[in-house]
């Protein structure tokens, strides 16, 4: 196992919780650490299996985005994309990371792009995994808000594997059990604001300001990022790399975990093990 510990740190004015994974024994010290930013209703613990794999090679931090998991939440908290992007930059600074990479999935990919557009010192590269391409004047994100809100409400009341299976029918029992255990930690206000900003915030406008290398990873199944979206992103960010992961929908590492790791190639400075 590569899990090291979970911890809380004060950064950008709030408590941010993260899980840390690493190879130990001084291995990987010549590689840039990786911050993983999950999606809209994915507390850090639900990405633990990915953290374990990354931690075999990289010093890895999986973040609880504000309003999720064990990070700070509350009715008075700003859940905007700008605040979330500032969190990632502040987290890296508070951790003393002089060079680092950010891997963001779905909403986390949008957070990573917005953060990178601010040219933070130390950011070396960004991976945006199937990021929503919705925004003003663009097609809507294909998922519907009630899917999130209804499942969170059931989780707050207490739900088991079979109840969760109705929302995620292709997941394994272990994956369903973990999501059912942790989904109640997602603040509904945070989810609503993040979902609304899928449609009111356009990260395409940020792409020309992203000066570091960008890898766009997309799912072969589903319609979050279509071919025309890939072409537009690569026009706005010349030199951006793109890879489609076969046999996978939006939740790529859940659908095709080996394909997910293989898609990184050596972009992060070293290949992930098979």
């Amino acid at each position: 196992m590569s899990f090291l510990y979970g911890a809380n740190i004060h950064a950008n004015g709030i408590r941010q919780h993260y899980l840390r994974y690493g190879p130990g024994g001084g291995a990987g010290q010549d590689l840039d650490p990786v911050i993983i930013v999950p999606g809209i209703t994915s507390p850090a613990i639900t990405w633990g299996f990915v953290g374990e794999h990354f931690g075999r090679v990289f010093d890895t931090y999986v973040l609880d985005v504000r309003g999720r998991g064990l990070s700070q939440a509350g009715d008075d908290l700003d859940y905007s994309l700008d605040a979330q992007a500032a969190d990632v930059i502040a987290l890296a600074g508070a951790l003393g990371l002089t060079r680092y990479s950010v891997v963001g999935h779905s909403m986390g990919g949008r957070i990573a792009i917005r953060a990178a557009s601010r040219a933070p010192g130390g950011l070396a590269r960004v991976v945006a995994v199937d990021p929503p391409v919705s925004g003003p004047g663009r097609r809507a994100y294909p998922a519907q808000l009630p899917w999130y809100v209804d499942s969170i409400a059931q989780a707050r009341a207490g739900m088991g594997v079979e109840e969760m299976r109705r929302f995620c029918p292709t997941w394994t029992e272990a994956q369903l059990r973990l999501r059912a255990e942790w989904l109640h930690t997602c603040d509904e206000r945070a989810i609503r604001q993040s979902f609304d900003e899928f449609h009111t915030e356009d990260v395409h406008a940020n792409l020309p300001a992203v000066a570091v290398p960008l890898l766009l990873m997309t799912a072969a199944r589903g319609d979050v990022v279509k071919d025309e979206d890939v072409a537009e992103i690569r026009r706005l960010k010349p030199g951006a790399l793109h890879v489609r992961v076969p046999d996978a929908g939006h939740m790529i590492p859940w659908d095709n975990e080996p394909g997910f790791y293989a898609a990184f190639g050596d972009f992060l400075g070293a290949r992930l093990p098979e």
Side-chain angles (χ1 to χ4, degrees):
M1 290 181 62
S2 67
F3 176 70
L4 298 175
Y5 56 81
N8 296 283
I9 195 166
H10 190 79
N12 196 32
I14 67 166
R15 183 190 71 253
Q16 297 194 49
H17 176 260
Y18 63 90
L19 302 175
R20 187 178 184 184
Y21 302 81
Q29 290 185 352
D30 58 335
L31 299 172
D32 296 333
V34 176
I35 297 175
I36 296 177
V37 186
I40 188 169
T41 55
S42 294
I45 189 66
T46 64
W47 276 73
F49 70 104
V50 175
E52 284 283 358
H53 200 84
F54 267 71
R56 294 166 62 184
V57 179
F58 301 98
D59 186 15
T60 303
Y61 302 82
V62 185
L63 176 65
D64 268 329
V65 178
R66 59 171 60 201
R68 288 88 171 166
L70 300 181
S71 283
Q72 190 167 329
D75 290 342
D76 59 342
L77 207 61
D78 179 3
Y79 291 118
S80 67
L81 178 60
D82 281 336
Q84 293 167 341
D87 284 347
V88 175
I89 297 169
L91 175 73
L95 292 171
L97 304 182
T98 56
R99 274 182 59 92
Y100 62 96
S101 302
V102 175
V103 175
H105 172 252
S106 191
M107 178 191 76
R110 290 168 62 89
I111 293 170
I113 291 170
R114 178 64 57 90
S117 73
R118 297 177 176 178
L123 179 62
R125 57 186 75 78
V126 168
V127 182
V129 182
D130 226 40
V133 294
S134 45
R138 298 178 179 275
R139 72 176 185 278
Y141 183 58
Q144 302 297 312
L145 181 61
W147 186 91
Y148 300 106
V149 173
D150 292 351
S151 61
I152 292 170
Q154 290 189 39
R156 283 199 305 267
M159 69 189 306
V161 169
E162 293 310 314
E163 290 88 352
M164 183 57 74
R165 197 184 307 278
R166 291 198 289 271
F167 294 93
C168 307
T170 65
W171 288 23
T172 68
E173 181 165 337
Q175 292 165 348
L176 293 167
R177 191 174 301 282
L178 192 62
R179 184 169 175 82
E181 179 185 2
W182 281 88
L183 186 60
H184 76 92
T185 68
C186 294
D187 186 289
E188 184 176 320
R189 181 171 172 266
I191 306 313
R192 287 183 177 274
Q193 184 167 352
S194 292
F195 187 87
D196 287 348
E197 290 196 0
F198 283 176
H199 304 92
T200 61
E201 293 285 331
D202 188 356
V203 296
H204 294 76
N206 300 129
L207 287 165
V210 176
V212 299
L214 171 68
L215 170 63
L216 175 66
M217 185 186 304
T218 60
R221 298 200 308 267
D223 56 357
V224 174
V225 186
K226 298 182 178 181
D227 289 343
E228 56 266 34
D229 302 316
V230 174
E232 181 183 10
I233 289 170
R234 298 185 76 181
R235 284 197 304 271
L236 293 168
K237 167 58 178 168
L241 303 175
H242 171 244
V243 60
R244 281 208 185 272
V245 181
D247 302 318
H250 182 59
M251 302 300 284
I252 295 176
W254 279 258
D255 292 341
N256 183 357
E257 188 177 358
F260 174 67
Y261 301 133
F264 286 91
D266 59 3
F267 182 78
L268 297 174
R271 290 181 176 271
L272 291 160
E274 296 296 329

